[in-house]
Amino acid sequence: MKAASCAVWLLLSACVRTVPLPDRALVQRATTDDGWELELVRYDAQGPVTGRPVLLCHGISANARNMDLDEGHSLARWLSAHGRQAWTLSLRGTGSSSRVDVRLGRGPISFDDYWRHDLPAAIRHVLAQSGAPQLDYIGHSMGGMVLYAYLSQGGQGVAAAATLGSPTRLDWGTVLDRVLAQAAPPLLPKSGALPSAFGSAVAAPFQGGVADDFFERLFYRRESTRVASWQRLMAYGTADTSGPVARHFLQLASSGRFLSADGRLDLRADMGRATTPLLVVAGAFDRIALTPAVKDGFRAWAGPKAWALISKANGAQAEYGHMDLVIGEHAAEDVWTPVLDFLRAHSTALTHP
Amino acid sequence: MLGAVIAGLLLAGPTVSHRELVVSDGARLVVTKVRPRSAVGTVVLFADVGFGRTLLRPLALALAERGRTVYAVDVRGQGSASSRGGLVEAATVDVPAVLRLAVSESGRPVDVVVHGWLGTLVLARLAGPDAPAVRRVVAANTPVLTELPNRATERFLRDQGRFTALLSSPDGAEVFSQLFAPEVRGGARVRAALGWAARDLGPQRSAELLAWMRAGDFPLGTSTVGAALKGFDRPTLQLLALGDGFAPPELASPLREVSSAPVVVRTFTRLFAAEDYGHASLLASPTAAKDVFPVIAAFLEAP
């Protein structure tokens, strides 16, 4: 029975082709100060270097492929084509980075691990490899929250940053809030991970079969993202979800606060000490990181900042949901271009090759 | 015969009456009063600038069916009311006059449902030392953080807030959709109905609103809206519509940081609701009767 299930899964998964990384993408490993290995993928600048290297970080239940889904949907390759050395990061427990392994003393994974250990290790690695004194950073969803936490606690090495759909307050009285608060806790492992990668891969071939289904309502809009792109993201852009991280997010949703996983740090309050230039980007129809949730982080930020609401009313070619910001058909023009413009506006003289 | 009388009584709907209210500076407002057979409380509805009683008719009837006496108002510049004056007069003259009328006739504090930018002015008015006797507030897409929401809003206001122009072309209809009713069920027909419930803002109100958004605050009597809101202290249900392009949820959401009283937030998105409601559709789309009105009624029915 188990073998048959595996066979069916393999058959279905094969329906959605995994697009390999391009030959020029160099997979590297960085080791954190607590002994985890992280996957980093380097995309060298095409043509003259125009600015600092850029580190890209994905959100929860995701991996580095969110930033390089395929040739036509790749923030990493787009930055590289615009003269930036781009790096994608898979946080611990995702991509080919280390997994929880109790025998090796690894795990469980908390939100604090991401900003206390993973981000510093990734930044050190990129700076060492590139020779740049500082880098720029783009985080999607939780990838932006990780940056907020890191910089709010005095993290170094980031010259300018952009967050895409990154909330700092999660209590908005939606039906989803109430459903998750009641139904999710018993389902979440206390130390392990939810098998969301497996579930997504199995569900991938069926995506788009029914218009306006739950996934579409929650994650993307067909006017922005092709079903084929969404299927690919489901097939190889997802990762297992750490139970403690998911529990932490539920606590944030019930408390209305942005706290560290150990509850000791009020990260939102500490964002009031940050000085790094920041562009905060929100999709007007993001049903996960609602615009007020994203704006909350913008308001909390003390450093130089700008707000970009991606919407037709602001001239975008389509309305944007949560994942459209990174895999949308028009994301390069509507989202990534203003991000790069912001990073350029906060650039200093180039000091690396 | 007796059966027919009983059936008639049981089936009798609320009584709807309309009247003019001439306020202290001579402006003429229009008040619709909806009275149920048996009233358990009173609620006054204020629609946003440009809209008015017509937009709120479905909500008024729904609340009346739940036993509320409802006042729905055209303040100056809305519906059939006078045009004279602008936002300041609407806030400092019209709103207090209507609330005094409702409190006087009901004999006790009333509840209010406010909407959009006019709603912000009402909240500011409720925060003053001589505030009207208001018990609970429902704030629908009501900004407390003031800035230009987007380029389309800026263009609309620079064009003097002409709803009629929006509704007379496909491009204009697209803008109307982006700002006021993005994904309304029923499509163009319902959207057009919402649009025709509006009235052009005119040069003064458009200029005032644009200046308010650009400056981040608005003078109101001897104070400003921003300063007045710091004293806001009424238990409030805040309704946020993700698809609102005219008074977006990110501008409304800081209310719970401003208010000294509890603020319950309810956000409506397409995930579980029928629509990503917009500025007008949140309170007037046909599906709002199922998704939104019961939430409002339940909040107002709390002791």
Side-chain angles (χ1 to χ4, degrees), chain B residues 274-292:
Chain B
E275 300 172 21
D276 279 321
Y277 288 101
H279 192 65
S281 51
L282 179 68
L283 295 178
S285 156
T287 60
K290 174 174 163 287
D291 287 337
V292 185

Side-chain angles (χ1 to χ4, degrees), chain A residues 212-230:
Chain A
D212 197 29
D213 65 15
F214 179 80
F215 289 94
E216 186 177 339
R217 288 190 188 186
L218 189 54
F219 293 108
Y220 73 105
R221 297 172 69 85
R222 286 196 198 204
E223 65 179 296
S224 289
T225 296
R226 290 182 185 165
V227 170
S229 300
W230 173 246

Side-chain angles (χ1 to χ4, degrees), chain A residues 172 212 221 287 295 314, chain B residues 147 151 183 267 270 276:
Chain A
W172 296 102
D212 197 29
R221 297 172 69 85
R287 294 164 184 152
K295 186 88 173 191
N314 267 333
Chain B
E147 59 188 53
R151 284 182 249 159
E183 296 189 336
T267 305
R270 177 74 185 100
D276 279 321

Side-chain angles (χ1 to χ4, degrees), chain A residues 3-66:
Chain A
S5 300
C6 285
V8 169
W9 174 67
L10 286 171
L11 189 65
L12 290 173
S13 301
C15 297
V16 180
R17 185 172 63 92
T18 299
V19 178
L21 291 175
D23 291 340
R24 63 188 180 85
L26 304 174
V27 180
Q28 301 186 6
R29 312 289 286 179
T31 304
T32 68
D33 59 3
D34 61 343
W36 292 60
E37 283 205 348
L38 303 178
E39 171 201 327
L40 282 154
V41 183
R42 170 177 163 175
Y43 303 75
D44 283 331
Q46 309 272 284
V49 173
T50 59
R52 292 177 288 258
V54 187
L55 177 61
L56 311 176
C57 186
H58 60 82
I60 192 170
S61 309
N63 62 36
R65 293 305 302 267
N66 281 235

Side-chain angles (χ1 to χ4, degrees), chain A residues 274-318:
Chain A
T275 57
T276 305
L278 174 72
L279 173 67
V280 178
V281 178
F285 284 81
D286 189 333
R287 294 164 184 152
I288 292 178
L290 305 172
T291 49
V294 179
K295 186 88 173 191
D296 186 75
F298 172 80
R299 294 175 61 235
W301 196 256
K305 59 187 176 182
W307 167 253
L309 179 66
I310 311 299
S311 66
K312 285 184 177 176
N314 267 333
Q317 296 167 77

